[in-house]
Structures are given as structure tokens and as C-alpha cells.
């Protein structure tokens, strides 16, 4: 190692002390980043995107990272930097994103969305949780080590993209054009969230997803139900009948071929779920739902983290205004998305749903399935991954308890992407928590999470170096 | 009879000649009526309603009708008049309505909706077909007889309501409060339409209808399909599965009790359908539909005129905008209307559908059926009704061919209402045709229908007198 200062526990203690001395400055600078309205989906915010990228570049250069640059593939640039002064040591690719969701609806915010506002133990702002604080914490860990020891315990590349909220469109191309620059031993994600406050946990898997729209047509135009009702098909009814075939009477998915490749949970998966002591009654009470919709024989957390779903996200047909209208709808449509479990192939799964739906369209109606491009496979870091073990040690050091392995019911495309293009596994070390109004008004982040995160990233670098 | 002028064929010939002499004036005055924007559903058109009612009162008084008055039950007034100078002869109650549908969408009109505009053999305007021309033709028949003979061949009461387009709300109350004034031997309706141009026909039955909305709820709010998908119910899917139970796999209604009381078509019904020589291929081609949705073993016209239906008129759930949104809808709703065949009781039929739907709601969801008030039973004039025979003779005299008896797939609440409250059967003598863009932009009426109608009403009065 080319580290010039203290090493081992001394270095960690020195970095902790540096954090304490610099905490307010780090927060102030984070708030400057949050004040950049970096909404990637809306061209009106281009200035905010550019400002955020420039601010990150300046910080990375100032703290001693090399090769600071923007990587561009036609969309919003990604910010890259590296420090490769630890030959023979592992190389980690630290990932985060500086773009945020639009702040709408503006009237629902208690304070201006791009002005970080302290409320007791938290600060409120768009991007506070997703993903500006978590990525800033990671960069602060690097800065502390660089400041205290003059180097890092391992090789570090940083990739902060500006298109996470719009599907990471540029990343696959950048992975091809910059394969060498981005090569590493593992992706360490500063995106994603912890399970809940108070329970140390590490995310080890996420579900995949696919999307499509089903369109049904039964006539050239909506028809008067008196003049035509009886011999003529009803698109809304055809749609309902087709959708009803997706599951059997017990709620099991009934689409042939859809489940192909799905892996059963491992004993270790079941052990993790058991260990969580999950409060199912509270889960349903919080969302105003009644238990019972789950497929038979499947546990709740298994259903959430590892089982595929087919969901109708929206229905549209005929007259939807106030009162009645005696019309036979000529068209009807449903938006459909599926979550995928480990082992399912997104393309084959989507084909299976399409084939099944079309097979259930009566011959006197026409149906079309418009599939969304791509889709994402489920991801699980191998249970014995050495970097996962390192992250677990870090969390144990910070929180005094071995973290629980938890799943994410949602989809993290970056994991599937780097696995496919760069051959990397993903470990996650983010201090966001799932309850922080992500993508919603009054997004917030906890000051306690900020402090825990700084401790964790100080310890993560030497632990990952040991992996 | 107190008729002072010519009688029998001489009187008819004289009335025809009077029509020829007065044709342009009758059209001009009809256009004045059409120019009154009498939209009953929108308070902004109150002036137009009042003007139309005043114009009708003035005409009825001027042509020699007695007791001209407005009947009011809290809504828009109905215009009443009578001529009862034929003791011992039958009394007919001539029915029409002077209110019209709103003209929206205005931009779809080729000419101003309330300015009758001649295009070749037709005039275009809101209310031209429904129902201002047909009622004007009926009044012109009365005027011709009064002008030529100084009286009428039978007793005539006229009831022109102003709320047909908003459910004839005031009529039941008026039938109670003015039972004596409105008493008659038969209702002769100048509303309703002929089957198609070129085929003399008389409407002898109509279907009933009922309406309701089905609302399903599975959670307190829409949920993220990643965070909650699997153990939590999906309201859109529950709705689809409930709706799919309304029919069996062959398209037969599968709601227990719904069909109770339904009468099978008579041999005479089948003979009428057969006689029509209905072009089924053309029927489907015109609406851009493919045959096959009909329930097994039922003929097309039987399905249209005499069989009940359960139709979904609209579906609403979840995200309906552009692109996708990975949401689990917490609520979903369907608008449902049913056409009823002869013999079905509207209340019992609605109860059967409600009970069936609720029985198919899973215990982890909640469903509510909001039934529309009332509902209307199917109506059929008795096959041997003497006034029906009279109307058939009139049509044969005008068109040289015995008319076919046809059904109406839609619902004519006035027939069920006068049957219930006044004990009257309904015969229909309207020269509107089903293709005249009723309730749509560019509504029109044919000049040839106007002339045929005048001939028919001149002949109808003596024929109904003979019945």
C-alpha cells in the first residue's frame, strides 16, 4: 500500500476524528449538491444537472482522486474518478447517482423541495435520500482516508450516473466503450435502502421486472348498448376475462412457461427471513389491506422478495366519467408489469405472458401485447461472496450486531447490468431507509443515518481491501 | 263526430292538399322550434327550454286545441293540450318531447347545431330527428284535420315533455297528479325511430334496462409493486376476475336468478324476424366487428331485441397515463348496465347481479355495488292490440306494403311508465330513422321522412278512430 499516514485501527480512529472535525462542512457541501435541481427526466432542469455534475467533479478532484472526467453516451453525463495507488489490492467500483425525481406535486411539500430544511433529526429535500446523501457519505469515506493517510487501502473507481431515474439509458453503452476504465472486482452501490431503522441489514437480492400493455378491440367504435348489445362483443369484458386467466382460483400464476428457471429459496434464504421476526399484522395494517391474497404455501417475505408476480397496474375502457353511459366499449387496455424471481429470464417470461394472453383472446376480438423494451432479471449476490462478507463485518462493527440479509422486492437494474456487461457482483452499502418518502413529496434523510454512514464507509475501505 | 267539413276519403284528400299548400310554412315553423336551444340537462339553456315550450303552446292554441297548459312537477314543464269533441270515440294521448341532447362536441358540427341547415335531401340540426320533427309532424296532422274539417276524427290529448333526455323525472308525479286529465285509451308515441330507410316497419317492443357501478378496494392507497407485490391484493385484478364470472365460457349470462321471468319469443316474434331478411354480414361490417360473440343457439335479431345483456360500459383503475407505472391499484371500478328482456323484473334482476358480484369478491377485498335508481322493464305491445293494427294499416296505406314488426334493442321508459301509471299500451308512429346521428354531432332529418310522416299522421287519426 502506498498509504503514507497511520494504518490499521489507528487510521480508522484518525478518520473518525477527521469526520467529527469536518462534519458540518460535509453537510454544508452536501446541501449545496442537493440545491442543484438535477431532475434528469425534464430538459428544463438541464442547468441543475450540469451544476450537480460540476460540483461532484470539483469535489473528487479536490479530495485527491485522479482521472476525474465526464463519461457521455448521448444522454446526461456520468461522473468518473479513480485512485489506483494500491497495486495488488482489490479494485472496487463505487456507484451512485446524482439525478433525482421531479419534485411534483409541489404543493404537497412542507418546504421548498430543493432547499434542504432541518426538522428535528432529519433534513427534508428532493434527493436527500435518493441518492445524494448516500453517495456523499461514500465520497466522504474516501476523502477522510485520503486526508488522514494520503491514500486509500484499496483501488477505488467512482461512477456517479445522471440517468438512474430514467432507466440508466447510457450505462450499457458506457460499459462497452469504457470497459477497461470501469473494470473492477466488485460494484459497491451507495444506492438502495436499508430495511428499516434499528435493524442492521444488508440487501442481498432484488427482483427483476418486465412490462407490457394489453390492448383489446371488438369493434370500430364504441356502440350503443341498446342498439347493439347481445350479438356484439364487449372489449372491457373480453379484457377482464383475459386478465382473469393469469392466475388460478387460489392466486397462483397460471401462465405456462412463465415460471421456467425460477429458483427455490435456499435454506439460508429461509433462515434470513425467519431471523427478521417480521410483523405481518403490522405490514397489512400499515397499508390498509387484509391478509389472504398471497399464493398458498408461500411465506410473506418469500412472496415479497423471491416470488414472481403479475400485476395489473391500470385499466382503461369505455366511459369513465360521472354517471352512466350505455355504451359497449370497442377498446380496452391494461398496463401489466411482472416482478421476476431469481432464475427467470426476462425475455422468456414476457413472451410467456404475451402468448398466454393472446391464446385467451376470443376469435371475434383482436388483442395486441405491446412489450416494454428490455426488462431486468432478478439479482442475488452469491451467498459466499467475499465482498458481501466484508460489508457484513463493517455493519457489525458500526452497529454491534451481525446484519440480517434481506431482499428487495423492487428492481435494481444496475446490478443486472454490471453483472451482464462487466461480470461484476454487487454489494450494497447505503444508509437510506425505505421509509424516507423516496420519489414522493417531503423526501428526507436522517442525521443519525448520515453519522452511521460516515462510520461505515470509513471502515468499509479497509474491510473490502482485506476481502 | 262533430266534424263539420268533409269526411272519409274526401277529408283525407283535403288534408293532403292542405299539407301541400302549407308545407313550407310548417317547415319554417319547425325550424323556429329547432332554433330554440332546448337542452334540458344544462341550466344554461333554460331560456331555450322556455322558448320552445312557449312556441308549442302558441301553436297548439292557434290550431284549435283546448286547455293548452304547462304541467309542472318541479322540473321542466310538459306542454299539454286536448281536443275532446268526439264523444263515444277513442281517446289517444299523443306523446313527444321538446328537449334535446347537448350539442357538444361543438367542433364536430359542420354547421351551427341550432341553425337548421339544408344539405340536399336532409336538414341538419340538434333535435332535427330527436324529437322535434317527429312531434311537429304529429301536430301538423292534427292541424290539417282541424283546418279542413273543423275538428278531429277522435279525441286527442297531447303531452310534450321537456325531460326525456334526463330520464323523464317529472312524469311519474304528473301521472299521479293529473291522472284524469291524462286518461286515454292508448299512448301514440311520436318518439322512437323506424328500423331503416326503405323498409316499412312498426316498433312493437323494447328492452328494459338497469344500471350499477361496481367498486372494489384492496388497500388504503395504491402501492409500489416492488415493495408490496405478492402478498397484497390487486384491485384491478379482483375486478377483472369478478366481471369474468358474469358469463360462462360460451358467453351465456351466468348470474343465478337474473333470467327469472324472461319470456321466450313467440312464433309471431320469430316470424317477424324471419320476414325482415336481415343482412347479418352487413350489420357486423358496418360496425367493424366480427361475428361470434352471440350466445349459442340465439338468432341475431332475437339477441338484439329480446335477450337480456350484461355489459361493462367502462373500466377505471390505477395508472392510465402514458408509459408505465409500477403500481398495485388499491381501487378499481366498473360501470355496468343490463338490457332486460320481456318478463324480467328490473329490481329483481339488479339484485341478482349485485348478489352474484358480491359473492365473487374474495374475503381479503371489499366490493360495493351502487345501483342506479329505478330501472325500466321491457315493453311489448300486445300482438293483437287494436291500435297497433290501426298503425299498421296507416303505414300500409302510405308505403303500399304491410309494415314489418320490429323490436328496439334500446329502452323506451315512457312505455313502461304509462303502462304502470295510466294502464296504457303504447303504439309508435315516428318517422325518425335510426341512422340520423341521434345524440351525436350533425343530427339530421330527411325531407322525405317529413313528407311521409305528414301523410301518415293525416291517415292515422281516422284509422285510430276506427280501432
Amino acid at each position: 500500500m502506498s498509504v503514507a499516514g497511520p494504518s490499521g485501527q489507528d487510521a480508522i480512529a484518525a478518520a473518525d476524528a477527521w469526520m467529527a472535525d469536518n462534519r458540518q462542512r460535509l453537510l454544508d457541501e452536501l446541501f449545496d449538491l442537493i440545491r442543484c435541481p438535477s431532475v434528469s427526466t425534464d430538459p428544463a432542469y438541464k442547468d441543475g444537472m450540469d451544476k450537480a455534475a460540476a460540483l461532484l467533479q470539483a469535489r473528487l478532484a479536490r479530495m485527491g482522486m485522479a482521472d476525474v472526467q465526464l463519461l457521455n453516451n448521448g444522454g446526461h453525463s456520468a461522473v468518473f474518478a479513480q485512485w489506483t495507488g494500491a497495486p495488488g489490492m482489490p479494485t472496487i467500483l463505487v456507484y451512485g447517482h446524482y439525478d433525482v425525481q421531479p419534485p411534483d406535486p409541489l404543493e404537497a411539500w412542507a418546504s421548498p423541495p430543493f432547499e434542504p430544511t432541518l426538522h428535528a433529526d432529519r433534513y427534508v429535500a428532493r434527493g436527500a435520500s435518493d441518492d445524494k446523501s448516500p453517495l456523499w457519505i461514500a465520497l466522504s469515506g474516501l476523502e477522510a482516508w485520503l486526508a488522514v493517510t494520503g491514500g486509500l487501502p484499496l483501488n477505488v473507481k467512482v461512477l456517479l450516473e445522471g440517468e438512474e431515474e430514467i432507466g440508466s439509458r447510457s450505462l450499457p453503452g458506457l460499459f462497452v466503450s469504457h470497459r477497461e476504465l470501469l473494470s473492477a472486482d466488485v460494484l459497491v452501490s451507495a444506492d438502495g435502502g436499508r430495511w428499516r431503522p434499528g435493524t442492521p441489514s444488508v440487501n442481498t437480492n432484488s427482483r427483476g421486472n418486465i412490462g407490457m400493455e394489453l390492448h383489446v378491440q371488438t369493434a370500430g367504435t364504441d356502440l350503443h348498448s341498446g342498439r347493439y348489445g347481445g350479438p356484439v362483443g364487449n372489449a372491457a369484458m373480453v379484457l377482464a376475462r383475459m386478465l382473469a386467466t393469469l392466475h388460478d382460483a387460489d392466486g397462483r400464476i397460471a401462465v405456462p412457461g412463465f415460471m421456467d428457471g425460477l429458483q427455490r429459496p435456499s435454506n439460508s434464504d429461509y433462515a434470513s427471513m425467519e431471523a427478521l421476526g417480521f410483523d405481518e399484522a403490522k405490514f397489512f395494517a400499515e397499508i390498509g389491506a387484509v391478509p389472504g391474497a398471497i399464493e398458498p404455501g408461500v411465506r410473506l417475505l418469500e412472496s415479497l422478495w423471491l416470488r414472481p408476480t403479475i400485476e395489473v397496474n391500470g385499466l382503461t375502457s369505455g366511459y369513465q366519467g360521472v354517471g352512466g353511459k350505455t355504451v359497449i366499449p370497442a377498446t380496452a387496455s391494461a398496463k401489466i408489469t411482472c416482478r421476476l424471481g431469481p432464475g427467470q429470464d426476462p425475455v422468456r417470461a414476457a413472451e410467456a405472458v404475451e402468448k398466454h394472453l393472446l391464446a385467451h383472446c376470443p376469435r371475434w376480438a383482436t388483442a395486441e401485447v405491446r412489450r416494454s423494451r428490455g426488462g431486468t432479471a432478478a439479482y442475488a449476490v452469491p451467498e459466499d461472496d467475499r465482498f458481501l462478507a466484508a460489508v457484513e463485518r463493517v455493519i457489525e462493527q458500526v452497529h454491534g450486531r451481525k446484519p440480517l440479509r434481506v431482499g428487495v422486492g423492487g428492481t435494481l437494474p444496475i446490478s443486472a447490468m454490471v453483472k451482464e456487461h462487466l461480470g461484476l457482483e454487487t454489494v450494497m452499502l447505503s444508509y437510506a431507509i425505505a421509509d424516507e418518502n423516496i420519489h414522493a413529496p417531503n423526501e428526507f434523510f436522517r442525521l443519525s443515518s448520515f453519522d452511521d454512514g460516515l462510520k461505515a464507509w470509513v471502515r468499509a475501505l479497509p474491510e473490502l481491501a482485506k476481502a
Side-chain angles (χ1 to χ4, degrees), chain A residues 64 108 118 217 291 339 360:
Chain A
L118 280 166
Q217 183 152 15
R339 297 288 167 178
H360 284 82

Side-chain angles (χ1 to χ4, degrees), chain A residues 133-309:
Chain A
S133 297
L135 78 81
W136 198 256
I137 289 167
L139 299 189
S140 299
L142 301 178
E143 183 173 349
W145 274 92
L146 287 165
V148 167
T149 71
L152 298 174
L154 78 177
N155 302 299
V156 175
K157 299 180 176 183
V158 172
L159 180 68
L160 307 173
E161 70 158 320
E163 297 186 322
E164 199 274 343
E165 301 295 359
I166 52 173
S168 303
R169 299 169 192 164
S170 294
L171 281 193
L174 291 178
F175 290 150
V176 171
S177 58
H178 296 77
R179 176 182 303 275
E180 193 55 40
L181 190 68
L182 296 169
S183 69
D185 296 303
V186 70
L187 183 102
V188 183
S189 175
D191 191 24
R194 288 183 293 160
W195 173 246
R196 64 187 178 209
T199 305
S201 62
V202 56
N203 291 333
T204 54
N205 68 276
S206 55
R207 289 192 288 192
N209 71 358
I210 52 176
M212 66 195 75
E213 287 190 18
L214 169 61
H215 292 258
V216 172
Q217 183 152 15
T218 49
T221 180
D222 289 357
L223 298 166
H224 188 283
S225 78
R227 287 184 60 194
Y228 294 100
V232 177
N234 179 314
M237 195 63 94
V238 172
L239 184 84
R241 296 179 69 90
M242 290 170 72
L243 295 175
T245 67
L246 292 170
H247 298 82
D248 68 16
D250 293 323
R252 291 185 195 87
I253 289 171
V255 176
F258 177 76
M259 296 291 207
D260 284 3
L262 180 68
Q263 292 154 19
R264 298 282 308 158
S266 66
N267 287 338
S268 147
D269 287 329
Y270 282 121
S272 300
M273 295 175 206
E274 210 58 52
L276 207 61
F278 186 66
D279 186 340
E280 300 197 1
K282 190 173 164 222
F283 171 83
F284 285 106
E286 277 174 358
I287 57 175
V290 173
I294 198 167
E295 56 182 319
V298 174
R299 300 178 207 195
L300 194 145
L301 290 179
E302 176 186 358
S303 174
L304 272 185
W305 296 345
L306 297 167
R307 295 292 293 178
T309 65

Side-chain angles (χ1 to χ4, degrees), chain A residues 420-431:
Chain A
E420 181 186 344
H421 290 94
L422 302 177
L424 304 187
E425 303 293 349
T426 295
V427 296
M428 301 178 69
L429 186 57
S430 160
Y431 270 74

